Amino acid sequence: MVKTSFISIISQDDKEEKEGSVEFQIVSFTNKIRRLTFHLKLHRKDYLSQRGLRKLLGKRQRLLSYLAKKNRVRYKELIGRLDIRESKIR
């Protein structure tokens, strides 16, 4: 298995200070999601990983909608850096 580099937007110095922030959690979930999607390309019938991926997607979606409601500028900046689609806000 080839190890690929994942997004490291937040520097190591800021990592200890900002582990509880919404942006850090979204970046962490995005890294986990990308790792799981790569795993599922190799193992298509791994249904437990598929379930875990769906749960992570839901958690990230809830955090993104929270951030969009609280601070729209930070939300736009974050989805631009992570290269993910903008969510539909209800």
Side-chain angles (χ1 to χ4, degrees):
M1 182 170 148
V2 177
K3 185 157 185 142
T4 58
S5 62
F6 293 101
I7 298 173
S8 176
I9 292 176
I10 300 172
S11 67
Q12 292 296 328
D13 298 333
D14 295 338
K15 189 174 183 178
E16 290 88 23
E17 298 174 4
K18 299 184 178 183
E19 285 184 355
S21 71
V22 176
E23 288 94 347
F24 184 85
Q25 291 179 34
I26 292 172
V27 169
S28 297
F29 285 144
T30 303
N31 285 337
K32 289 179 186 178
I33 288 168
R34 289 186 176 154
R35 206 169 37 237
L36 270 175
T37 53
F38 179 75
H39 170 78
L40 288 172
K41 286 180 184 177
L42 298 175
H43 308 282
R44 294 189 186 275
K45 293 192 175 187
D46 188 355
Y47 298 116
L48 289 176
S49 292
Q50 288 178 12
R51 180 176 184 260
L53 176 64
R54 285 192 297 268
K55 288 180 80 162
L56 281 176
L57 286 169
K59 284 182 183 181
R60 184 180 73 176
Q61 186 61 41
R62 286 192 298 273
L63 282 173
L64 282 170
S65 65
Y66 169 79
L67 184 62
K69 289 176 189 174
K70 291 294 180 184
N71 193 337
R72 192 73 178 169
V73 175
R74 283 174 32 197
Y75 168 76
K76 290 279 192 181
E77 181 182 314
L78 185 65
I79 63 170
R81 284 192 294 174
L82 292 177
D83 194 30
I84 55 179
R85 287 181 290 178
E86 188 169 348
S87 64
K88 298 177 183 177
I89 300 172
R90 294 178 185 172

